[in-house]
Amino acid sequence: MLTGAGAPIRCKEIRSALPETVVVMDFGSHTQQVATADVPFGLKTSYGWRDLDLAGLNEILDGQRDNKASYAVTPTCFIPADQVGDMSVLKAVVHQANMLRRHDMLVLLPCSWRWLRSTSLPYLTEQIRSSRHPIGLIMQADGDPLERGEVPEALRQLCRSCPRLVLWRTDLAAFDAMAHGALGAAVGASAVLRHGIAPRPDSGGGGHRPYPVVLVRRLLGYHRVATLQDWFAHIDPWTCDCTACKGAALTRFTDNEAGVLAALRHTVCELYGLHDELDATLPGDERIGWWRQQLADAWEYHRLLASQTGTEVSFPRVLQAWRRPIPPALPAAAERNGQDRSGPS
Ligand SMILES: [Zn+2]
């Protein structure tokens, strides 16, 4: 998944060089503008903000495909928490997208994590189910949305209830989602791409100093290299056998651009490794069993790390939540209110 102004050109370059690789674009409209029921789609252009009607939306999707995107992704604006309870915007996104009879698009649904609360989850589920296109769900929160109490379980319910759900701009929740029936997921390469962010139209993008973060596969989590260096200050650091590390220590990444890039290479290798393992399992019980084993191993590795280093290493809340039993799928609307559902004919 590519973001930023250079995305169309890079998309074309990558797909021309590696036609088998799935590459798509997310223009990030949801980080810039709040959706309304009248105008749920829009785009920042070099001439300023552009609201998109249906024809405009179609044209933008065509443009992505012209740049060789594997499939087109709607530039949906952000659906905030204060719209929870008011379904009009959510409905407008799905309804307008449903009017496009194309088979090469994914509808982004960038919402506040509050949509996954038990009171609004059935409505979110209903809208996702009524989409004729796959849905890419982005969860926004201040910090990690999966840290919000109800979210891990709600997300599993959504994945079990909506067969064509893709988790977008996420982290290892990708694997929990895919184990529980999600069609796919897009894991962010940097922390800011691992969950949704609320629109800040004026932000020029503050100059963050990069620092290296690595996925520690044994712990099923992302950690700053500085944290690893603290842990392993007095003992041999953990090493990694991925093709980027080839047995080198996970503490070696330096605090500059080259170090950040090398750390990212390691993380991407580990993500592909995890994905290959998931992909080798059969969907359903076998896949869920594989994921539960990863979580059980992670629990043991947290204990091992604590005993090796003599420090307190807490087992993250989200991993605890993923070790809990699986919730049932949500009933379809017809089962819930005893009414017929009027699907597209
Ligand atoms: Zn590695």
Side-chain angles (χ1 to χ4, degrees), residues 55 67 131 184 215 238 259 289 293 301 312 338 341:
N67 283 305
S131 172
L215 172 62
W238 284 358
Q293 188 59 52
Y301 275 119
E312 281 206 27
R341 218 157 61 93

Side-chain angles (χ1 to χ4, degrees), residues 240 242 245 266:
C240 174
C242 83
C245 297
H266 149 80

Side-chain angles (χ1 to χ4, degrees), residues 107-247:
V107 180
L108 268 195
L109 222 47
C111 6
S112 158
W113 68 273
R114 287 187 173 82
W115 279 96
L116 279 92
R117 282 180 159 172
S118 56
T119 43
S120 40
L121 187 65
Y123 302 103
L124 178 64
T125 308
E126 202 170 325
Q127 287 311 308
I128 294 175
R129 278 172 167 164
S130 68
S131 172
R132 67 167 62 236
H133 312 285
I135 292 280
L137 179 74
I138 299 179
M139 291 179 296
Q140 176 272 337
D142 294 329
D144 184 353
L146 272 303
E147 290 279 319
R148 310 289 172 147
E150 299 163 80
V151 170
E153 177 159 316
L155 188 58
R156 278 183 174 174
Q157 285 189 286
L158 261 189
C159 293
R160 287 168 62 78
S161 312
C162 307
R164 292 192 305 158
L165 186 68
V166 177
L167 197 55
W168 205 254
R169 293 199 180 212
T170 189
D171 54 17
L172 290 171
F175 294 96
D176 195 71
M178 288 190 288
H180 293 89
L183 184 63
V187 177
S190 64
V192 75
L193 295 175
R194 287 197 278 270
H195 60 81
I197 52 172
R200 281 170 300 178
D202 301 330
S203 84
H208 279 295
R209 207 180 120 75
Y211 55 85
V213 171
V214 288
L215 172 62
V216 181
R217 164 134 183 206
R218 289 173 169 184
L219 302 179
L220 286 184
Y222 288 87
H223 294 278
R224 289 177 73 148
V225 170
T227 306
L228 299 185
Q229 288 166 347
D230 284 346
W231 284 339
F232 297 107
H234 304 296
I235 56 163
D236 286 343
W238 284 358
T239 57
C240 174
D241 292 326
C242 83
T243 51
C245 297
K246 299 191 178 79

Side-chain angles (χ1 to χ4, degrees), residues 19 30 37 75 91 126 131-132 145 152 186 191 204 207 223 248 303 306 309 317 328-329:
H30 49 91
K91 273 186 177 158
E126 202 170 325
S131 172
R132 67 167 62 236
H223 294 278
R303 288 176 40 150
T309 60
R317 274 176 61 181

